[in-house]
Amino acid sequence: MFMPTVFSALACFAVFCHICSGDNYILDDTIGLGRAFDGIGGLSGGGATSRLLVNYDEPYRSQILDYLFKPNFGASLQILKVEIGGDAQSTDGTEPSHMHYENDENYFRGYEWWLMGEAKRRNPNITLIGLPWAFPGWVGHGENWPFHFPDITVSYVVSWIIGAKQYHELDIDYVGIWNERSFDSKYIKLLRYTLDKSGLERVRIIASDNLWEPITSFVLLDQELQEAVDVLGAHYPGTTILPEVLKTGKTLWSSEDYSTFNNDVGGGCWARIINQNYVNGSMTATIAWNLVSSYYQELPFGRDGLMTAQEPWSGNYVVESPIWITAHTTQFTQPGWRYLQTVGHLNHGGSYVALTDQKGNLTVVIETMSHDHSVCIRPPLLPYNVTFQRATFSLKGSFVSVELQVWNSKLDFKTKKPVFFQKQNPIKVSNGSFTLDLNVDEVYTVTTVTTGQKGSYPEPPPSAPFPKAYKDDFNVRKCSVFSEAPNFADQTGVFEYFMNLTDPGPHVYTLQQVVTQRPVTWVADADQTISIIGDYNWQDVNVSCDVYMENEKGGGVFVAARVDKGGGSVRSTKGIFFWIFADGTYKVTSDLSGESILAEGLSPTRAHIWYTLSLSVKGNYASGELNGHALWTNVVVLKPKNGWAGIGTSAFELAQFDNFSVHP
Ligand SMILES: *[C@@H]1O[C@H](CO)[C@@H](O)[C@H](O)[C@H]1NC(C)=O
Ligand SMILES: *[C@@H]1O[C@H](CO)[C@@H](O)[C@H](O)[C@H]1NC(C)=O
Ligand SMILES: *[C@@H]1O[C@H](CO)[C@@H](O)[C@H](O)[C@H]1NC(C)=O
Ligand SMILES: *[C@@H]1O[C@H](CO)[C@@H](O)[C@H](O)[C@H]1NC(C)=O
Ligand SMILES: *[C@@H]1O[C@H](CO)[C@@H](O)[C@H](O)[C@H]1NC(C)=O
Ligand SMILES: *[C@@H]1O[C@H](CO)[C@@H](O)[C@H](O)[C@H]1NC(C)=O
Ligand SMILES: *[C@@H]1O[C@H](CO)[C@@H](O)[C@H](O)[C@H]1NC(C)=O
Ligand SMILES: *[C@@H]1O[C@H](CO)[C@@H](O)[C@H](O)[C@H]1NC(C)=O
């Protein structure tokens, strides 16, 4: 697919190269073009990675969205992929389903609808993708497998696509199968059939958001499957494909990639894979997990987003290096442009790609990322060397430009003064070619496109810890467009605003845990539900909350302090948990599973009565109150030493919470 580069390199090895005339690379569209470019994107969800973003005040929230989506401003993303919420833990939290129960439908839960709308408002051309990580329990009929009843799962997924259009005017362009889990050919074919039958012929199918195999073999052996699948999407391909993959003739994407801490090495990883996923793997889209780090940083994969916006309480956010690395490609291309066949590796390390709109526009993106400054989280990266090089690019075919725009980023790990997305003086093309001196760890865009811009806003407010004293009576429901209360990050179960208009008392607006059946999970969700909030470094705190058990058959609720975990390991969460149960007992445990009991006894508690629970932790001691009266005191608590506050239930069961407060 790519042309070998010119021979001069043979005559001058690395050591002497700086005195050589340089290497020559040809950019030619007369020999035919390469594949169509599909875009660079970000992934929100998988899971709950944009959770804290929605609660930023203006103008900061809009500024963050502009850095992500606004054309010719920042990352100017061309693809937004979102999780189709499935009520289960999907990495950094749970995202609500549009159908918690079989007879339930609501297309206003969570924040992905809102996010897609904001992205579309900024860039009407943005490509939208939906993919499930998990499914509500009823979809699996009690089994942890979504394909036993393919018709149920298909109609569940298609209803999400129809709902996007009906309630939000959003056209979903692509849909996936089951993130990084098994697929089922029968399901994929039925999905295609049902989409077509529902007037959604334009919605294309990606499979299987896992490794290249086994989907490749299945597609090669099954004509009907081959027709149903539009894109083969692999995760973290390390820029490589298997030879069989090309035989499918399919469009190839890195449909999830990056997942690397967003410092400058993260930027280097992103620069390398954006180019080399095509150069080395013929992949025409690369999608970063995740779009924006908007989850508590101590949850798994903290700050693995294109930028950081994890402090709605302060308004602080950070435009990290991957934003500007993205801009090097996205601001100077459009999906639908074609790669040239003349793309490749540079002789002394790094790579170049060239794309054209086939109307005379040319964009060349060059990266010279060294190994140690571009390692991604996975897969391992074999050693290689990059050295300074002088590269001459000869324009052939329809590229007759006399002047090219130049944008440059230097990661510069020596001086630690990196430069990102800086516009340089245009290059004069002389005798059909231009020459660049390429240092190690640089990105260049050389292009006919003149519309590039490095957008900026005034510095946001400084970073600050989560407020020491915090309360929420959930009455803001009256005006919020979101279904979830600010700053609560559900780790198992889903906690939503609830409104009881028949309640004459103080608990009309509450927060309700709504998942009543174990979902078809993606990881091992806890058997209890839990939502966390606050500062991971909190030690001595008082957590209070009004609680209301709705489970007739028993069940219980808790407030917690020093909660030490979330994400995929939520089952092993430790902390200090104060539980009351509808059977008239209470318990204090050092774990979410409720097995390590520190104290227990009788309490006059039952379902359908509001109680105020209060837990106070100081040093090695904890005490608990029920309705303002001490229920247990001075229980010794040794581990963990710090963590978030939390609320939750003893099982997948309904319960309500009101008047949450935490203070030192
Ligand atoms: C959207 O796509 C059209 C057609 O390719 C293009 O002319 C237009 O500039 C694009 N708009 C943005 C904001 O990218
Ligand atoms: C390019 O991809 C091939 C397989 O597709 C792989 O063997 C090779 O190591 C890759 N090269 C680089 C430089 O990543
Ligand atoms: C390049 O694209 C711009 C719009 O971005 C267009 O106006 C121009 O005609 C195109 N062609 C060339 C050769 O610049
Ligand atoms: C990189 O360069 C060093 C020093 O010149 C050399 O020892 C090493 O073998 C090279 N590594 C590779 C992968 O070429
Ligand atoms: C221009 O380039 C051609 C080859 O592309 C070469 O033969 C010629 O000598 C060059 N002219 C100048 C003035 O460099
Ligand atoms: C709503 O409030 C009424 C009156 O207090 C109460 O009887 C009922 O159980 C409440 N419903 C829920 C779901 O909390
Ligand atoms: C919440 O607590 C405050 C005291 O901190 C109290 O005034 C208020 O009535 C409580 N609200 C409800 C709904 O119980
Ligand atoms: C927690 O703080 C409240 C005041 O907000 C206080 O009334 C209560 O006694 C404290 N709880 C415990 C268990 O000490």
Side-chain angles (χ1 to χ4, degrees), residues 629-645:
H629 301 289
L631 192 59
W632 48 278
T633 52
N634 291 331
V635 165
V636 175
V637 290
L638 298 176
K639 279 201 292 195
K641 292 282 181 221
N642 59 281
W644 297 287

Side-chain angles (χ1 to χ4, degrees), residues 450-483:
T450 54
T451 46
Q453 268 186 66
K454 185 170 185 179
S456 72
Y457 285 114
E459 274 294 299
S463 172
F466 194 92
K468 281 197 163 67
Y470 183 84
K471 20 173 112 169
D472 194 343
D473 60 11
F474 308 119
N475 292 357
V476 73
R477 173 55 171 153
K478 281 176 258 185
C479 52
S480 174
V481 302
F482 295 106
S483 58

Side-chain angles (χ1 to χ4, degrees), residues 501-657:
L501 291 177
T502 62
D503 191 327
H507 301 292
V508 176
Y509 298 95
T510 69
L511 197 66
Q512 187 182 38
Q513 197 298 111
V514 297
V515 179
T516 54
Q517 183 185 4
R518 189 173 181 77
V520 175
T521 58
W522 186 68
V523 288
D525 289 46
D527 298 322
Q528 303 74 26
T529 73
I530 178 169
S531 190
I532 59 168
I533 186 166
D535 191 326
Y536 189 72
N537 296 312
W538 277 347
Q539 297 183 328
D540 293 351
V541 287
N542 170 317
V543 187
S544 299
C545 197
D546 298 344
V547 296
Y548 184 83
M549 295 175 272
E550 293 182 71
N551 187 355
E552 321 283 343
K553 302 183 202 106
V557 290
F558 69 78
V559 294
R562 299 185 184 173
V563 176
D564 75 337
K565 260 193 223 78
S569 43
V570 63
R571 284 184 81 83
S572 61
T573 299
K574 305 270 184 287
I576 300 154
F577 295 81
F578 171 22
W579 313 72
I580 56 168
F581 297 91
D583 67 0
T585 61
Y586 76 89
K587 192 157 88 166
V588 186
T589 69
S590 62
D591 55 2
L592 173 63
S593 64
E595 284 155 20
S596 303
I597 296 170
L598 304 173
E600 59 188 325
L602 298 177
S603 59
T605 48
R606 51 195 172 87
H608 296 296
I609 295 180
W610 279 97
Y611 299 100
T612 302
L613 282 188
S614 162
L615 165 68
S616 167
V617 189
K618 271 203 176 58
N620 291 339
Y621 297 94
S623 312
E625 290 174 5
L626 181 70
N627 290 344
H629 301 289
L631 192 59
W632 48 278
T633 52
N634 291 331
V635 165
V636 175
V637 290
L638 298 176
K639 279 201 292 195
K641 292 282 181 221
N642 59 281
W644 297 287
I647 54 174
T649 64
S650 66
F652 289 103
E653 62 198 1
L654 295 177
Q656 289 173 58
F657 301 85

Side-chain angles (χ1 to χ4, degrees), residues 409-486:
S409 294
K410 290 184 205 306
L411 266 56
D412 204 336
F413 291 86
K414 280 202 199 88
T415 62
K416 301 230 170 7
K417 289 201 189 96
V419 170
F420 289 111
F421 203 57
Q422 201 169 55
K423 190 170 196 282
Q424 299 192 334
N425 291 331
I427 292 185
K428 294 263 180 293
V429 178
S430 120
N431 194 19
S433 72
F434 64 89
T435 297
L436 291 172
D437 281 348
L438 302 172
N439 288 299
V440 177
D441 295 327
E442 288 196 285
V443 183
Y444 274 95
T445 303
V446 180
T447 178
T448 56
V449 176
T450 54
T451 46
Q453 268 186 66
K454 185 170 185 179
S456 72
Y457 285 114
E459 274 294 299
S463 172
F466 194 92
K468 281 197 163 67
Y470 183 84
K471 20 173 112 169
D472 194 343
D473 60 11
F474 308 119
N475 292 357
V476 73
R477 173 55 171 153
K478 281 176 258 185
C479 52
S480 174
V481 302
F482 295 106
S483 58
E484 295 159 296

